[in-house]
Amino acid sequence: AAKPVAPMPAPHGSEVESLPAARPGAPAARIALVIDDLGRSHEEIDRLQALGVPLAYAVLPSEPLSREIAERLRAAGEEVLVHLPMEAVGGGSPGPDAVRERLSPERIAVLTRAAIEQVPGAVGLNNHMGSRVTADEAAMRAILAVVGGKGLFFLDSRTTAETGAFGWAREAGIPAARRDVFLDDDPDAEKVAAEFARLLELARQRGAAIAIGHPRPATFEVLERDVPRARAAGFEFVPVSYLLERTEALPE
């Protein structure tokens, strides 16, 4: 995985003051950024890599460039996730070969394995949409059996308050994490900036926080402006694998 980068010098002026600073004297507050919906464009990857911080790149299977982009990212030492399409409550289309609640465990396993094979070098998996599936224990256990068997970790994107996916992953002994902030549910740049500031505040309070965003114009705009400012304020950007809960951390 890519390694954290040393903080940049603080910019001139007061622009850093609008972002919450990491706690003086405390270990650096850690931020993990996950960018979903990749696999369609090399230009998106260029722009994300230009941020100069570790990211998790969540690549959709079945996109025209999925395999090529995953291989490019793996060669560059970046952290790659399989962004597994799953059925949503609202009926929106998660894309081809999506895992659906009504499918048999055997069929779910076939789809999950096929998705992983299309994203070579992935070290983890998170859900694309999936508000119906992540709340269904039988469906999730079928997915997680494959995830665990492949030695991957699981990131719960938390697209529904009803999700049980993180807990079921931990019960299965799979290293797992869960999303704290969605940066761009509202694609307005001011709203994205507000969510990024909330992310930093959560990390300052808890020591670490995980955000998910997408390759959208406002998201790029905010990250390109505010990631350097956050680093100057003392925050450390890390791959999401640094923030997993693992078996050895569970109580006896």
Side-chain angles (χ1 to χ4, degrees), residues 23-243:
R23 291 168 293 176
R30 289 178 154 189
I31 301 289
L33 294 176
V34 182
I35 306 300
D36 283 353
D37 294 358
L38 302 173
R40 300 165 179 157
S41 161
H42 279 284
E43 288 73 22
E44 293 169 352
I45 306 302
D46 293 341
R47 205 163 171 186
L48 291 168
Q49 289 185 308
L51 292 171
V53 296
L55 301 172
Y57 296 77
V59 178
L60 283 162
S62 302
E63 292 294 335
L65 299 175
S66 298
R67 181 177 296 274
E68 185 178 316
I69 282 174
E71 289 174 344
R72 168 188 170 177
L73 291 167
R74 177 174 61 174
E78 306 286 8
E79 188 157 279
V80 180
L81 309 186
V82 180
H83 194 38
L84 182 65
M86 301 186 194
E87 183 181 9
V89 170
S93 174
D97 298 323
V99 172
R100 298 187 181 276
E101 182 187 33
R102 68 177 183 273
L103 298 176
S104 69
E106 293 78 14
R107 180 61 181 159
I108 289 173
V110 166
L111 290 170
T112 304
R113 281 193 292 267
I116 292 168
E117 288 167 6
Q118 291 177 69
V119 187
V123 295
L125 180 147
N126 73 330
N127 52 293
H128 172 60
M129 301 178 68
S131 52
R132 186 176 298 280
V133 172
T134 57
D136 184 274
E137 184 171 359
M140 277 310 308
R141 288 198 184 276
I143 293 167
L144 291 167
V146 176
V147 170
K150 296 281 190 181
L152 306 183
F153 65 79
F154 179 76
L155 171 65
D156 188 350
S157 301
R158 292 179 60 219
T159 55
T160 171
E162 307 304 316
T163 177
F166 172 81
W168 296 322
R170 298 304 301 116
E171 286 177 15
I174 295 169
R178 48 192 159 188
R179 183 268 314 162
D180 296 302
V181 172
F182 265 130
L183 291 177
D184 49 13
D185 253 1
D186 186 324
D188 176 77
E190 288 188 8
K191 299 291 178 58
V192 176
E195 288 302 301
F196 188 84
R198 188 168 76 87
L199 169 70
L200 300 190
E201 181 60 29
L202 284 173
R204 187 192 64 78
Q205 293 172 2
R206 302 176 184 175
I210 297 170
I212 289 177
H214 300 82
R216 297 172 180 161
T219 308
F220 281 125
E221 176 187 330
V222 170
L223 292 179
E224 287 164 352
R225 182 191 67 209
D226 287 352
V227 164
R229 294 164 59 188
R231 292 171 69 204
F235 292 87
E236 179 185 11
F237 288 83
V238 299
V240 73
S241 61
Y242 282 34
L243 303 182

